[in-house]
Amino acid sequence: MLRVDNINVYYGQIHALKDISLEVQEHEIVALIGANGAGKSTTLRTISGLLRSKTGSISFLNEDISRTEAYKLVSKGMAHVPEGRRIFLQMTVLENLEMGAYVNSTNIKEDIADVFDRFPRLKHRRNQIAGTLSGGEQQMLAIGRALMSHPKLLMLDEPSMGLSPILVQQIFDIIKELHAAGTTILLVEQNAEMALQVADRAYVLESGRIKLTGTGSELAQSDEIKKAYLGG
Amino acid sequence: MEKIKNLNKFTRTNIRAYGLIILAFIVLFPLQSTGIISNSISGQLVPICTYIVMAISLNLTVGFLGELSLGHAGFMSVGAFTGVITAICLQEVIPSAALRLLIAIIAGGIAAGVAGFLIGIPVLRLRGDYLAIVTLAFGEIIKNIINCLYVGVDSNGLHMSMTNAEALGMINGKLIINGPQGAVGITKIASFTAGILLILFALFIILNLVNSKSGRAVTAIRDNRIAAESVGISVTRYKLTAFIISAVLAGMAGALYAMNFSTIAAKKFDFNTSILILVFVVLGGMGNIVGSIVATALLYILPELLREYADYRMLIYAIVLILVMLLTNSEKAKQMRERFVYKWKKRLRKNNDQQEGLKNG
Ligand SMILES: Nc1ncnc2c1ncn2[C@@H]1O[C@H](COP(=O)(O)OP(=O)(O)OP(=O)(O)O)[C@@H](O)[C@H]1O
Ligand SMILES: [Mg+2]
């Protein structure tokens, strides 16, 4: 479904991604793990068209998207929930969800009801200004908004960041549910343990390179991973 | 009453904005045509109308789009001189002054829109405050170009030169733009009615845009650019659209403005004018269209009213600016105002109830 082939991304002089290649098959959950600054967010931003690679190619649903603008990818079925709860702070919860349906506004009412079913907390706060939501609620809203575009591929950048253990569990439950409902997921996580539990396959990034790859359970067993990311 | 309460926020803003303008027209038009208001104020009616259009169109860029523009007068200038050239060329062909004015205003709008497009394309792709710098430069460049521009018309058509009037080489021609003197020999065809119609047109365009899907996209971009992109909004396209609309309206206002004088020079549309319009927008409130209208009208008339106190005029003007700024932007003042409005409403309701009581009892 998604194929990233040998990309190199720079921030000015900084060489952030070095010869990265990865692949996501349909109906998979693929995790991208690694230390702070390894280049995980940069990878997602490049896939979703916010950054450009100097080399290589990216294809999505058998179509080259290396030069496609970010906003066009949404209607092609890709949704990116960027790092750090990028919601519309001055709009209400409801308005945020409506904006999520910007490119696909056929069944807004039903879609909003679906999101509220998934995140009942948002339902009670539908008319609250998003900037006044708690961190966890903002994260739910960011995910809910991405769902409004009915993505075929959902890319989540650290959805569990800053959440209490119960909420983290909830977010991962939702990821599993979405996966069961047929959504393909590319997940970036600091929480390697949880990520490897849900992931079919995972890539480990270190200083802009892919260091390891394997199935979720393989990597969870690997000594190297245990030492570096699982605290043992 | 209940009905008005139930209307949404947008409709209420619309009613207020259109209502205010129409009311102003109903009150001022008879006063002006019967000569009751003084000449000096009556002469200001068209300029006030144009500045209101300038302020609400700038509000689209600054308030809704969230981009600082320091050269709005540049678009006014492009519109003004294009409008004058058009009107003078059409003088013989179209006898109806109203129709000529309309065509001149449209031509001014188109020319300013093209200028907005040329500036917007490279600049709005960039992030950051580049627009402020580029529009600032644009305003100055336009002023300097027109300062050494000579345009005339004769039986062979339009002539243009950058050196002097003789270089136009016209036979029995008519000089339209005469370098630093600007446009000369304009037939004054602007009217208060045309000004009001232009404001209504600008309101119609802006309020519809703001309340449309595109308008919400613009608000979303201002709120969070990355989030906007991630829901599939083309940031460049919407920024450019809003910016060009703002330029077109400024050009139309410029054309109307020029048509209110017999001569007009490029230095009228300089940096100070751009800043003056920005002041109207900031004082009226960012994104607040009704606020822009009120602020422009008051602040434009104020120096006229203070003419008797020539020595202190600018001092009083400055103090008023500071006071308004404090009143509209400080939290304390806002709270005080809200409390006042609340009490006022309560008293009104009480009075109403008493009257109802009297009627029923
Ligand atoms: N806008 C930027 N300008 C310059 N350097 C950047 C920029 N964004 C990221 N970097 C650098 O690129 C490298 C990769 O950053 P990235 O955000 O992809 O890391 P990450 O793996 O997502 O880390 P984290 O887990 O902390 O979110 C880092 O060294 C970072 O400092
Ligand atoms: Mg990151």
Side-chain angles (χ1 to χ4, degrees):
Chain A
M1 173 177 236
L2 175 74
R3 184 185 204 99
V4 174
D5 199 20
N6 196 32
I7 57 170
N8 280 279
V9 176
Y10 296 80
Y11 291 108
Q13 296 291 319
I14 301 170
H15 193 174
L17 296 186
K18 298 162 190 157
D19 304 324
I20 298 271
S21 297
L22 58 85
E23 208 177 334
V24 180
Q25 306 284 352
E26 208 157 340
H27 299 308
E28 263 189 326
I29 299 185
V30 172
L32 209 54
I33 57 175
N36 291 117
K40 307 180 296 292
S41 302
T42 306
T43 308
L44 290 199
R45 276 187 227 130
T46 311
I47 294 171
S48 70
L50 296 170
L51 294 173
R52 291 279 176 242
S53 165
K54 283 239 161 81
T55 62
S57 68
I58 304 172
S59 67
F60 177 57
L61 298 171
N62 300 321
E63 186 183 345
D64 184 51
I65 56 160
S66 315
R67 291 279 165 267
T68 310
E69 282 153 291
Y71 73 90
K72 287 187 183 144
L73 291 174
V74 182
S75 45
K76 292 190 194 297
M78 186 189 283
H80 178 192
V81 182
E83 191 172 15
R85 301 167 194 147
R86 303 285 190 161
I87 54 173
F88 300 113
L89 294 173
Q90 286 156 32
M91 299 188 188
T92 66
V93 169
L94 211 54
E95 284 165 343
N96 264 275
L97 293 179
E98 281 165 6
M99 288 312 298
Y102 194 79
V103 293
N104 166 19
S105 45
T106 37
N107 281 323
I108 294 194
K109 285 233 170 77
E110 284 171 36
D111 291 346
I112 289 180
D114 281 350
V115 171
F116 283 155
D117 280 346
R118 231 179 265 286
F119 303 102
R121 288 171 83 108
L122 293 182
K123 189 171 187 172
H124 302 301
R125 296 181 156 66
R126 61 172 77 201
N127 291 320
Q128 190 171 331
I129 297 293
T132 64
L133 293 175
S134 80
E137 289 158 356
Q138 291 189 6
Q139 188 62 272
M140 292 176 193
L141 181 57
I143 298 175
R145 195 189 59 206
L147 295 180
M148 293 292 294
S149 67
H150 292 283
K152 300 189 181 92
L153 173 67
L154 178 62
M155 303 197 290
L156 299 166
D157 197 341
E158 303 205 22
S160 73
M161 186 168 54
L163 302 187
S164 68
I166 295 181
L167 277 185
V168 173
Q169 189 56 55
Q170 255 183 45
I171 295 274
F172 274 92
D173 288 345
I174 287 164
I175 291 174
K176 280 185 227 160
E177 277 170 37
L178 291 172
H179 176 240
T183 313
T184 309
I185 292 168
L186 178 55
L187 172 69
V188 162
E189 258 304 331
Q190 281 292 331
N191 192 331
E193 196 178 344
M194 295 285 270
L196 292 178
Q197 262 177 35
V198 298
D200 299 311
R201 288 185 309 113
Y203 293 87
V204 182
L205 233 63
E206 199 178 286
S207 327
R209 283 185 197 283
I210 290 185
K211 199 182 166 214
L212 271 176
T213 171
T215 65
S217 45
E218 266 168 31
L219 289 179
Q221 304 293 317
S222 137
D223 288 340
E224 217 171 333
I225 299 291
K226 274 189 191 155
K227 224 182 264 161
Y229 304 106
L230 302 176
Chain B
M1 204 55 198
E2 268 309 301
K3 253 189 195 155
I4 292 183
K5 259 186 220 156
N6 290 338
L7 292 175
N8 66 35
K9 204 172 77 197
F10 294 136
T11 327
R12 272 204 308 257
T13 314
N14 288 1
I15 292 175
R16 243 180 250 157
Y18 292 124
L20 190 65
I21 296 302
I22 292 169
L23 191 72
F25 182 69
I26 294 173
V27 171
L28 288 173
F29 187 73
L31 292 182
Q32 183 222 19
S33 46
T34 52
I36 290 177
I37 41 177
S38 73
N39 258 345
S40 72
I41 293 213
S42 166
Q44 297 298 328
L45 288 176
V46 172
I48 290 177
C49 290
T50 47
Y51 275 94
I52 286 177
V53 175
M54 291 304 290
I56 57 182
S57 60
L58 184 62
N59 207 336
L60 185 64
T61 304
V62 180
F64 287 107
L65 197 53
E67 291 275 346
L68 186 57
S69 165
L70 295 177
H72 209 48
F75 297 116
M76 193 181 185
S77 185
V78 170
F81 289 99
T82 311
V84 168
I85 294 174
T86 312
I88 293 183
C89 288
L90 294 177
Q91 199 125 12
E92 256 90 77
V93 196
I94 301 174
S96 155
L99 185 59
R100 222 172 335 129
L101 181 64
L102 178 68
I103 294 174
I105 286 177
I106 292 173
I110 292 173
V114 171
F117 178 75
L118 293 178
I119 293 178
I121 278 269
V123 175
L124 291 172
R125 290 172 171 273
L126 306 173
R127 297 166 198 214
D129 293 331
Y130 297 101
L131 190 72
I133 299 161
V134 175
T135 47
L136 173 68
F138 164 73
E140 292 305 296
I141 291 171
I142 285 294
K143 190 182 75 184
N144 288 319
I145 290 180
I146 296 176
N147 255 334
C148 51
L149 184 69
Y150 296 82
V151 177
V153 62
D154 66 5
S155 48
N156 292 328
L158 269 183
H159 298 266
M160 218 192 274
S161 157
M162 298 292 282
T163 41
N164 56 41
E166 279 71 50
L168 294 174
M170 295 186 299
I171 317 144
N172 276 335
K174 190 173 175 195
L175 199 56
I176 303 176
I177 297 179
N178 188 13
Q181 285 179 16
V184 290
I186 308 169
T187 320
K188 291 202 234 173
I189 49 178
S191 64
F192 180 44
T193 315
I196 291 289
L197 289 175
L198 186 60
I199 298 179
L200 291 176
F201 174 73
L203 280 178
F204 179 77
I205 298 284
I206 291 179
L207 293 175
N208 273 313
L209 176 76
V210 168
N211 300 339
S212 71
K213 195 176 169 189
S214 315
R216 265 181 297 133
V218 171
T219 328
I221 293 169
R222 187 191 56 201
D223 195 332
N224 192 328
R225 186 190 167 116
I226 292 184
E229 253 170 321
S230 75
V231 297
I233 294 171
S234 165
V235 171
T236 312
R237 190 170 90 207
Y238 285 111
K239 280 192 161 188
L240 199 58
T241 311
F243 186 66
I244 291 176
I245 289 177
S246 164
V248 167
L249 292 173
M252 295 177 123
L256 178 77
Y257 185 80
M259 241 52 89
N260 189 47
F261 302 96
S262 49
T263 64
I264 188 140
K267 63 172 186 287
K268 186 78 197 100
F269 310 109
D270 61 358
F271 181 60
N272 289 334
T273 308
S274 292
I275 293 297
L276 184 71
I277 302 162
L278 190 61
V279 167
F280 296 156
V281 171
V282 173
L283 288 182
M286 297 280 198
N288 182 346
I289 295 293
V290 179
S292 290
I293 297 175
V294 175
T296 307
L298 291 181
L299 292 176
Y300 200 87
I301 299 176
L302 191 63
E304 289 303 317
L305 296 179
L306 295 175
R307 211 159 267 258
E308 289 171 50
Y309 317 100
D311 292 344
Y312 306 107
R313 199 169 107 183
M314 287 332 276
L315 181 67
I316 300 176
Y317 188 70
I319 292 176
V320 170
L321 282 189
I322 294 170
L323 283 181
V324 174
M325 196 75 199
L326 288 176
L327 280 177
T328 48
N329 288 318
S330 106
E331 276 304 312
K332 268 240 173 75
K334 256 185 214 161
Q335 284 168 8
M336 246 163 76
R337 202 175 50 201
E338 262 157 33
R339 234 177 300 153
F340 180 76
V341 170
Y342 176 74
K343 268 189 195 155
W344 184 252
K345 275 192 179 151
K346 214 160 105 182
R347 186 175 316 157
L348 271 183
R349 210 174 301 142
K350 223 188 210 166
N351 282 350
N352 270 349
D353 289 349
Q354 276 173 1
Q355 278 175 3
E356 291 283 309
L358 284 178
K359 260 189 239 157
N360 297 340

